[in-house]
Amino acid sequence: MSQETKTFVVTRFDPDKDEVPKTQSYEIPVEGDWKILDALNYIKDEVDPTLSHRWSCRMAVCGSCGMNVNGEPKLTCKDPVSNYGDTVEVAPLSNFPVVRDLVVELEGFMEKFKAVKPWIVVAKERAVEEGTTRQSPDELADFKQFSMCINCMLCYAACPVVSNEPDFIGPAALALGHRYNQDTRDEGAPERNEIFRDEGGVFSCSFANECSEVCPKKVNPAGAIQQAKLRNVLDWAASFVVKRGGKES
Amino acid sequence: MVDVFRHDVVIVGGGGAGLRAAIAISEAQPGLSIALVSKVYPMRSHTVSAEGGAAAVAREDDSLEMHAYDTVKGSDFLGDQDVIQYFVEQAPKELTRLEHWGCPWSRNEDGTVSTRAFGGMTTKRTWFATDKVGFHMLHTLFQTSMKFGDIDRYDEHFVTKLLVDDGDCRGVAALDMRTGEMKAVLGRAVILATGGGGKVWPFTTNGNIKTGDGMALAYREGVALKDMEFVQYHPTGLPGTGILITEATRGEGGYLLNSEGERFLTTRDYGVGTKAELGPRDMISRAITQEIAAGRGVKVPGKIGQYSHLDLRHLGEEKIDSRLPFVRELSRTYANVDPVHEPIPIRPVLHYMMGGVDTDIDGATELGGLYAAGETACVSLNGANRLGSNSLTECLVFGARAGEHAVQYIQGAAAGDEARFVAQVEAEASRVEELRGRRRGGEKVSKVRESLNDAMEAGTGVYREQASMAKAVAAVAAVKASYEEVSLDDTSKVFNTELIAVLELANMLDVAETVATAAVNRKESRGAHACSDFPTRNDSEYLHHSLVHHTPEGPRFDKKDVTLGVWEPEERKY
Ligand SMILES: Cc1cc2nc3c(=O)[nH]c(=O)nc-3n(C[C@H](O)[C@H](O)[C@H](O)COP(=O)(O)OP(=O)(O)OC[C@H]3O[C@@H](n4cnc5c(N)ncnc54)[C@H](O)[C@@H]3O)c2cc1C
Ligand code: FES
């Protein structure tokens, strides 16, 4: 049986040497059960050690290996080579500046991530001696899905709003903020909702749903943002009923 | 001139241990300036891949004493009992704190935190968040760390050297991967939280970044590595990739079967008694290896080696989806098997290093100002065999303790002569500059790494022999020599992953050298170190920790006492 080969057309860019990105083709033998990441690692190890890409866990949980494969954002350690024909294009994720080759700049995202206050906000921290908080399985289910994001950035690459409005906080970070708002242990919703209402917040989302479609972890950021919009409107309406600083439910 | 960055404490590593240390420092003395240096963004750290759970006493039918005894026995009496005592006491507090910080622990109907059974644990004491526990713990810690303003992150900075002057460690040399420039990151204490080194072996559950860097950094500065011969083979890795299928599968009731469909842990004597699938990992990995050697292995088309079957079918789809959804996803994606309908082929896979940088109970090393915590450290909690779900908790308990003690240490510590540290970083910058894209006669990085992997697999597997271990010592030395001839292609300064790989390879070589040296020196079988030529434990000669020091003439082997105190060694039978 002759070994199957495929040609990988990989975007290359070295800011030390190149004005603009170019592509380089590698024809390599592939195994039937390979993922796209296996092909890149084969190229790196056997053909061209100058290729730069991020990866670590190779089990779809560290979020390092997002790239555009044939134009679609994919988690490359989960994306089977067998889904593609003889030629496969691998490029850095869209909507991010490129550091080098397939490595994109994440600093902008890290700022947005922090902006939503992704931690439990409470007026007074609970003491360890008080033990664990009670939270029913249903209460957990209210936010669990939105806590599953691996920060792989596929949703930012897919989002039409991110590409037009660079200040848009974006799917993963908004979903994360919403995750904390939904958590019974958290009291930070009023602060986060102000951020959500601001420019670049939830109301910038046009509900294209692309983010949820590309999410490899089924986090459904589009759903989170819709819920967050609704909660915002309700909280805003409620603020007329209960005065600010008044009793919270 | 290199850029200089001044802090109070420098933490190397943004996994469970490093992040917990950072928070502990911020809480112990708000306002201290903390550098958190990591070669990947913290949420990429390999803690993220931990699946099954974190241990701490939580139930009425459990006690600290039981957790301590299970850990001592699991360690084959090589764990230090004072450390274990402290650990079990702190464990529930640490997991509770994580709960307060938002960790989505799975819940019982009444809203309390659920616990599950785990290998070698007498009762259900493993806290879990479905089967993505490390992921949730890491993200909770990382996100929580963001509310502390004094933690300055150096993401994607690779530490190449510890800065040591006059017997004190006062910072690190860090390569900014984005620019290729070397930085001096200074502090009056340094905490290594760099994780394990599973990539020294070819078939491992560990991710690409687990190259034992912190162990090598400390070793080169004269700090001993302890108990390096003890490496854990997890019984259940997927064919080909080595991706882990968590022990929680057995905690939830999964069976191990041989090619004849027999539950061999119940039908044959492998020392695990009625614990069966919930025996400790060292014993179960040996049982699988013996089953395969006896001709009862399962073959997987297109995959090297033979396997056993992990059968979850009787758990049913609902339980698998609610308790083990990630296992189902991993099995389908990486082994093309749906555990609801078929057994999963698995075999023992290199998973965890019990050994590491020798520290005392405070995480302090023999070098002034240098601390270590998490998998990179050997505080002697795990001895000769770690119990599953103790190590995530270890990262929290001893990450926090190292952080708190570093804070105490710096109160009286002088910053040292900055010029001398900067000079060290400049020398380091030249060394790395020379390495980048260097042309020599020899092989590619990937080939040398393969030779190393082969040598370690042959010499330090589930079962070892004197002859094969001695061969590994020689083979590692030969690979070290060939390292000097490695040729590099990538001359770019920006995100040069070939340069990182060659620096990591040097670290793995040092780690491998200590593992092989310690292994060949332990002529007994204890915990994960199963020596065919010396099949029994020998307390009269070997009830001690192994230390390996770096010297210009090669590794030097020493011993260190084990702290007993509560439980005297007895035969380890379940
Ligand atoms: C697949 C898998 C499943 C597991 N499941 C469980 C489980 O269910 N329960 C359990 O208790 N244990 C489990 N373990 C073990 C446990 O996850 C690890 O021991 C633990 O997470 C290690 O954490 P750490 O903080 O020490 O290191 P890591 O999380 O590995 O972090 C190391 C950090 O150091 C940084 N670093 C390393 N070298 C350098 C350098 N040169 N310069 C700068 N930064 C550097 C890295 O960037 C990273 O941030 C599992 C392990 C694996 C591999
Ligand atoms: S390598 Fe970790 S998600 Fe792909």
Side-chain angles (χ1 to χ4, degrees):
Chain A
M1 209 178 81
S2 71
Q3 172 95 42
E4 196 193 347
T5 67
K6 281 187 201 283
T7 301
F8 289 83
V9 183
V10 181
T11 305
R12 302 298 310 270
F13 174 66
D14 179 351
D16 275 356
K17 302 189 183 97
D18 305 320
E19 292 279 311
V20 288
K22 55 190 186 202
T23 58
Q24 191 166 350
S25 293
Y26 304 94
E27 191 185 339
I28 57 164
V30 295
E31 304 278 343
D33 59 358
W34 272 12
K35 311 296 182 216
I36 296 292
L37 178 64
D38 295 310
L40 294 173
N41 286 342
Y42 180 91
I43 294 169
K44 174 98 186 153
D45 285 349
E46 307 293 333
V47 187
D48 185 353
T50 69
L51 178 65
S52 282
H53 61 290
R54 289 189 183 107
W55 70 286
S56 176
C57 72
R58 55 76 178 97
M59 56 190 276
V61 72
C62 77
S64 304
C65 68
M67 293 167 214
N68 275 9
V69 184
N70 280 1
E72 296 278 324
K74 294 285 182 187
L75 203 58
T76 54
C77 70
K78 205 182 175 186
D79 193 25
V81 163
S82 59
N83 279 1
Y84 298 91
D86 293 341
T87 305
V88 191
E89 287 172 20
V90 185
L93 289 175
S94 327
N95 297 338
F96 291 92
V98 177
V99 175
R100 180 173 172 192
D101 295 345
L102 301 167
V103 176
V104 296
E105 171 66 78
L106 294 183
E107 287 307 310
F109 168 73
M110 294 311 293
E111 278 164 34
K112 294 173 177 177
F113 187 84
K114 191 172 172 184
V116 303
K117 302 191 182 208
W119 52 81
I120 294 281
V121 174
V122 278
K124 188 175 173 294
E125 272 227 32
R126 301 192 53 184
V128 179
E129 295 68 38
E130 291 173 50
T132 54
T133 326
R134 295 241 170 166
Q135 186 169 61
S136 72
D138 286 345
E139 288 169 336
L140 173 63
D142 279 344
F143 72 88
K144 183 70 195 299
Q145 179 178 24
F146 307 134
S147 74
M148 301 293 280
C149 170
I150 61 172
N151 309 149
C152 67
M153 307 293 115
L154 265 50
C155 54
Y156 285 69
C159 175
V161 181
V162 169
S163 68
N164 289 324
E165 202 185 310
D167 288 339
F168 180 41
I169 295 174
L174 288 172
L176 183 65
H178 181 64
R179 166 251 179 275
Y180 280 97
N181 279 354
Q182 291 291 96
D183 193 321
T184 48
R185 297 167 290 189
D186 178 78
E187 299 164 5
E191 295 169 38
R192 280 189 214 97
N193 281 342
E194 271 180 35
I195 301 160
F196 282 6
R197 273 196 294 274
D198 259 4
E199 221 171 304
V202 288
F203 296 103
S204 293
C205 166
S206 61
F207 200 34
N209 205 39
E210 307 276 349
C211 54
S212 294
E213 276 161 30
V214 298
C215 178
K217 296 281 132 178
K218 303 196 175 74
V219 173
N220 191 12
I225 295 172
Q226 296 319 299
Q227 283 185 15
K229 284 182 188 170
L230 189 65
R231 223 186 126 166
N232 241 286
V233 174
L234 292 176
D235 284 6
W236 177 76
S239 70
F240 289 99
V241 183
V242 182
K243 266 201 303 185
R244 272 193 181 226
K247 205 166 139 292
E248 277 187 57
S249 64
Chain B
M1 267 303 274
V2 297
D3 288 331
V4 181
F5 300 84
R6 298 173 192 86
H7 299 275
D8 293 304
V9 182
V10 179
I11 299 170
V12 188
L19 288 166
R20 184 64 189 90
I23 294 172
I25 295 167
S26 266
E27 288 188 333
Q29 191 175 332
L32 285 184
S33 156
I34 302 158
L36 188 75
V37 188
S38 176
K39 66 178 174 178
V40 294
Y41 280 88
M43 70 280 191
R44 316 291 190 215
S45 305
H46 207 57
T47 293
V48 80
S49 69
E51 299 169 26
V57 170
R59 287 158 53 108
E60 298 275 298
D61 65 352
D62 200 1
S63 71
L64 298 180
E65 192 187 3
M66 282 160 71
H67 189 189
Y69 178 68
D70 287 348
T71 304
V72 169
K73 185 170 175 182
S75 81
D76 217 348
F77 297 88
L78 206 71
D80 283 352
Q81 296 185 12
D82 54 341
V83 167
I84 291 170
Q85 191 58 38
Y86 178 76
F87 168 77
V88 300
E89 283 165 13
Q90 295 304 311
K93 298 180 198 166
E94 284 295 330
L95 297 191
T96 300
R97 291 220 75 191
L98 221 61
E99 195 276 335
H100 293 173
W101 289 333
C103 188
W105 297 119
S106 293
R107 304 283 177 161
N108 299 315
E109 279 308 317
D110 67 357
T112 54
V113 170
S114 284
T115 49
R116 63 163 44 127
F118 240 69
M121 303 278 189
T122 316
T123 182
K124 291 183 178 174
R125 67 166 72 97
T126 298
W127 302 36
F128 62 98
T130 61
D131 53 354
K132 281 204 172 170
V133 182
F135 164 80
H136 286 299
M137 286 178 60
L138 182 69
H139 281 248
T140 301
L141 286 166
F142 180 49
Q143 290 161 17
T144 302
S145 78
M146 289 187 160
K147 75 177 183 190
F148 294 93
D150 306 323
I151 303 174
D152 290 325
R153 293 206 324 270
Y154 296 75
D155 295 334
E156 300 194 321
H157 281 62
F158 186 93
V159 172
T160 65
K161 189 182 187 311
L162 300 177
L163 305 179
V164 180
D165 190 33
D166 206 14
D168 289 326
C169 183
R170 291 292 183 263
V172 300
L175 179 69
D176 181 343
M177 293 167 61
R178 293 271 303 282
T179 62
E181 301 298 339
M182 193 66 86
K183 293 176 179 170
V185 186
L186 306 181
R188 281 167 294 148
V190 173
I191 302 175
L192 289 173
T194 44
K199 290 302 275 186
V200 166
W201 290 266
F203 188 66
T204 173
T205 62
N206 284 198
N208 188 45
I209 53 178
K210 297 205 57 178
T211 49
D213 299 355
M215 299 179 192
L217 290 171
Y219 181 58
R220 281 182 213 134
E221 301 305 327
V223 178
L225 301 188
K226 181 169 61 186
D227 292 343
M228 294 298 282
E229 66 272 42
F230 299 107
V231 297
Q232 179 162 78
Y233 284 84
H234 193 295
T236 58
L238 288 181
T241 59
I243 288 172
L244 178 79
I245 296 301
T246 169
E247 187 167 293
T249 51
R250 285 171 281 129
E252 298 293 346
Y255 297 148
L256 286 173
L257 307 177
N258 61 21
S259 59
E260 289 155 21
E262 173 190 337
R263 252 184 96 192
F264 52 88
L265 291 165
T266 60
T267 53
R268 295 165 201 270
D269 183 11
Y270 288 113
V272 294
T274 53
K275 282 199 175 300
E277 278 85 359
L278 288 176
R281 289 178 181 172
D282 54 342
M283 292 182 171
I284 294 187
S285 284
R286 286 197 284 275
I288 294 173
T289 307
Q290 286 192 38
E291 283 294 310
I292 292 170
R296 293 187 293 272
V298 176
K299 293 191 185 65
V300 177
K303 294 291 168 218
I304 304 165
Q306 293 193 29
Y307 301 84
S308 289
H309 271 148
L310 173 62
D311 194 356
L312 307 182
R313 288 173 295 184
H314 55 287
L315 302 182
E317 185 161 8
E318 202 191 311
K319 186 160 189 183
I320 292 175
D321 283 346
S322 65
R323 296 284 189 129
L324 303 164
F326 194 36
V327 164
R328 192 173 186 194
E329 178 186 329
L330 291 172
S331 306
R332 282 169 146 176
T333 310
Y334 298 102
N336 213 7
V337 163
D338 184 348
V340 171
H341 304 295
E342 301 150 275
I344 313 168
I346 50 80
R347 75 166 163 106
V349 55
L350 194 290
H351 184 56
Y352 180 86
M353 301 186 70
M354 270 71 76
V357 179
D358 176 28
T359 75
D360 66 13
I361 194 170
D362 301 327
T365 71
E366 60 192 276
L367 190 61
L370 183 67
Y371 291 78
E375 192 172 338
T376 205
C378 180
V379 67
S380 289
L381 169 70
N382 303 304
N385 175 63
R386 168 178 76 99
L387 292 187
S389 74
N390 266 353
S391 81
L392 285 172
T393 313
E394 173 183 1
C395 288
L396 302 174
V397 170
F398 292 100
R401 181 144 174 163
E404 285 155 12
H405 279 264
V407 170
Q408 287 176 21
Y409 172 86
I410 61 170
Q411 311 300 331
D417 185 348
E418 185 171 308
R420 296 169 75 132
F421 296 121
V422 173
Q424 287 181 24
V425 179
E426 277 166 357
E428 191 60 5
S430 319
R431 180 180 78 89
V432 171
E433 182 65 25
E434 192 269 333
L435 195 57
R436 178 162 55 85
R438 86 172 176 196
R439 302 302 300 175
R440 296 264 169 98
E443 291 279 16
K444 286 188 169 66
V445 179
S446 55
K447 293 291 164 245
V448 179
R449 192 171 52 214
E450 259 173 57
S451 318
L452 171 68
N453 284 166
D454 292 346
M456 292 304 281
E457 180 164 60
T460 56
V462 172
Y463 283 101
R464 294 125 182 235
E465 286 167 15
Q466 277 297 306
S468 64
M469 287 184 281
K471 228 165 131 182
V473 172
V476 170
V479 182
K480 263 195 147 174
S482 71
Y483 174 85
E484 298 305 322
E485 292 305 311
V486 170
S487 269
L488 303 178
D489 286 322
D490 193 346
T491 55
S492 175
K493 291 192 91 155
V494 180
F495 224 90
N496 185 333
T497 49
E498 188 195 38
L499 176 62
I500 297 300
V502 81
L503 291 165
E504 290 175 333
L505 178 58
N507 295 337
M508 288 195 280
L509 283 163
D510 278 346
V511 169
E513 169 179 290
T514 63
V515 171
T517 304
V520 83
N521 273 292
R522 185 173 286 278
K523 296 184 178 55
E524 65 158 353
S525 289
R526 183 186 298 271
H529 180 69
C531 230
S532 313
D533 340 46
F534 301 97
T536 53
R537 202 176 77 195
N538 176 353
D539 286 337
S540 60
E541 284 179 85
Y542 289 98
L543 184 60
H544 60 68
H545 300 297
S546 308
L547 296 183
V548 183
H549 277 100
H550 176 78
T551 77
E553 296 77 45
R556 189 185 81 229
F557 182 80
D558 294 303
K559 298 170 184 175
K560 184 175 175 178
D561 287 344
V562 178
T563 307
L564 299 171
V566 185
W567 290 284
E568 284 305 308
E570 62 193 17
E571 192 193 357
R572 180 164 167 254
K573 240 187 159 356
Y574 288 89

